[in-house]
């Protein structure tokens, strides 16, 4: 670990107990952040669209309104001491309004970068963090030029409002260019070269008000239908690659002047290189394993950072497998899930199990250093293992 991250560079006065943390967004990440805040003696106030949203269910109070409604934002700001957010598809302009009244952590400028793939990739390049080949596409002519530059096949993505595989089109050859360009909006778009990767990984990195940086262990991620399916901690990569991934995450956190937690998604190439895919300045689905495998999980680390509390060393006491519960198919297995020894369930309080909707997750723990092979993972997941 970089020694300069071991000692706080600033003396920070934490928020006092019973201070109110304002959370923009009422989804499951807000829910689990609110629960962590409560354990640390803080209160939470969520601004959300519905009274029954997962985050509202467990918060002390809430403002119901739009994220870009100045009147609702002012009511919200009046009720809190510091502001954070739980997902990126919110109004950066709304965060600007809030920042005039209360501290916003992470900052709206970081949100703007993470919301826009063009800005995000430009920033990563500016600090020397490698990414896959990419080109901006504003017209049909740009798309042809981009295709020639990055090569087939490639992924065409919206620059904004894409998550869980949405806003993407895999272009196999030139015959699909017209369809891809017409299908995706809003423009501009980003064409990304396909990466021949051995695995997808991520790092949860937290940075405090005093500049202290903590990185959780690199996590191996598997997706299904564009949605994260399973995470394995630690990722089955060499120590050298893990150190490289941690170094990139630290550089990004410092470059952004991050306060809070951030997920950094990466590709590990078959030739041993590591490329950054995207960043998410908030708690992240691939960090849910920390809830049961670490004394201080990603949500507590985030709350500590935004309130000025010290960030403890990361201490993973167990290896872990996280499996998302998605849609009606996984939830139909709920009776078997809660009856399976070793599965630790976390539900999000959503009433309707729609196709593709994350309803919760389960964690399975193993003694540190004994993460099993594929058969052992599937066996530990019980009914969910056979569903893959």
């Amino acid at each position: 670990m970089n020694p300069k991250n071991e000692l706080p560079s600033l003396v920070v006065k934490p928020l006092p107990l019973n201070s109110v943390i304002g959370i923009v967004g009422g989804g499951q990440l807000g829910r689990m952040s609110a629960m962590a805040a409560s354990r640390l003696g803080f209160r939470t106030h969520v601004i959300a669209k519905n009274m029954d949203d997962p985050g509202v269910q467990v918060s002390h109070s809430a403002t119901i309104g739009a994220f870009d409604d100045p009147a609702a934002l002012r009511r919200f700001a009046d009720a809190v001491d510091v502001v954070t957010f739980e997902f990126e598809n919110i109004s950066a302009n709304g965060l600007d309004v809030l920042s005039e009244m209360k501290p916003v952590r992470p900052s709206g400028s970081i949100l703007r970068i993470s919301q826009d793939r063009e800005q995000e990739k430009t920033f990563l390049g500016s600090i020397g963090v490698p990414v896959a080949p990419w080109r901006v596409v504003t017209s049909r002519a740009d798309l042809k030029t981009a295709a020639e530059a990055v090569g087939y096949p490639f992924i065409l993505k919206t620059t904004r409002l894409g998550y869980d595989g949405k806003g993407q089109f895999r272009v196999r050859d030139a015959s699909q260019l017209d369809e891809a360009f017409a299908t995706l909006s809003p423009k501009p778009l980003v064409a990304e070269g396909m990466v021949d990767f051995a695995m997808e990984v991520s790092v949860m990195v937290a940075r405090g008000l005093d500049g202290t940086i903590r990185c959780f262990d690199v996590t191996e991620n598997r997706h299904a239908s564009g949605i994260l399916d399973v995470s394995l901690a630690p990722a089955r990569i060499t120590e050298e690659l893990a150190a490289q991934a941690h170094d990139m995450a630290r550089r990004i956190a410092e470059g952004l002047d991050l306060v809070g937690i951030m997920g950094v998604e990466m590709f590990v190439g078959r030739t041993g290189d590591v490329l950054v895919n995207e960043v998410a300045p908030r708690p992240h689905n691939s960090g849910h394993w920390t809830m049961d495998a670490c004394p201080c999980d990603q949500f507590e680390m985030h709350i500590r950072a935004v309130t000025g509390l010290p960030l403890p060393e990361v201490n993973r006491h167990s290896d872990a497998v996280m499996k998302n519960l998605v849609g009606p198919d996984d939830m139909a297995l709920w009776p078997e899930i809660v009856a399976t020894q070793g599965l630790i369930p976390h539900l999000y309080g959503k009433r309707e199990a729609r196709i593709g909707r994350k309803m919760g997750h389960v964690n399975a723990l193993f003694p540190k250093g004994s993460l099993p092979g594929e058969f052992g993972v599937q066996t530990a997941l019980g009914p969910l293992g056979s569903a893959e």
Side-chain angles (χ1 to χ4, degrees), residues 238-261:
T238 65
E239 291 184 5
E240 291 77 13
L241 284 176
Q244 187 177 345
H246 278 164
D247 178 67
M248 289 182 182
R250 290 191 189 98
R251 285 159 57 193
I252 294 169
E254 289 179 334
L256 290 172
D257 196 22
L258 174 74
V259 176
I261 201 162

Side-chain angles (χ1 to χ4, degrees), residues 3 70 114 251 290 292 302 350:
S114 69
R251 285 159 57 193
T290 65
D292 298 301
H302 179 61
K350 299 177 182 179

Side-chain angles (χ1 to χ4, degrees), residues 85-92 111 114-115 278-282:
F85 52 88
E86 61 113 30
F87 74 132
E88 290 104 304
N89 290 338
I90 59 177
S91 168
L111 177 66
S114 69
Q115 281 182 330
E278 60 185 25
V279 302
R282 53 165 173 80

Side-chain angles (χ1 to χ4, degrees), residues 176-197:
Q176 293 186 297
L177 292 179
D178 287 336
E179 180 187 1
F181 188 78
T183 298
L184 297 178
S185 63
K187 309 298 191 292
L189 308 172
V190 168
E192 295 182 5
M194 296 283 286
V195 177
D196 182 21
F197 59 87

Side-chain angles (χ1 to χ4, degrees), residues 102-182:
K102 297 293 166 67
V104 176
R105 301 166 183 160
S107 67
S109 62
I110 296 177
L111 177 66
R112 279 189 168 84
I113 291 172
S114 69
Q115 281 182 330
D116 188 292
R117 285 191 171 96
E118 180 181 358
Q119 290 191 43
E120 182 179 65
K121 293 177 184 301
T122 299
F123 163 75
L124 293 172
S126 74
I127 62 171
V129 171
V131 298
W134 65 283
R135 293 291 187 278
V136 178
V137 174
T138 58
S139 66
R140 176 63 177 80
D142 286 343
L143 180 56
K144 182 176 184 299
T145 302
E148 293 170 351
V150 303
Y152 294 101
F154 67 91
I155 305 292
L156 190 64
K157 299 180 179 180
T158 56
T159 56
R160 303 175 65 83
L161 303 178
Y163 64 98
D164 286 345
K166 297 177 176 64
Q168 301 185 15
F169 194 111
R170 179 171 296 197
V171 183
R172 296 188 302 273
D173 54 50
S175 68
Q176 293 186 297
L177 292 179
D178 287 336
E179 180 187 1
F181 188 78

Side-chain angles (χ1 to χ4, degrees), residues 343-358:
L343 289 186
I344 307 171
H346 300 268
L347 287 189
Y348 303 152
K350 299 177 182 179
R351 291 187 182 276
E352 185 180 358
R354 297 193 296 266
I355 293 174
R357 192 182 198 192
K358 295 174 184 174

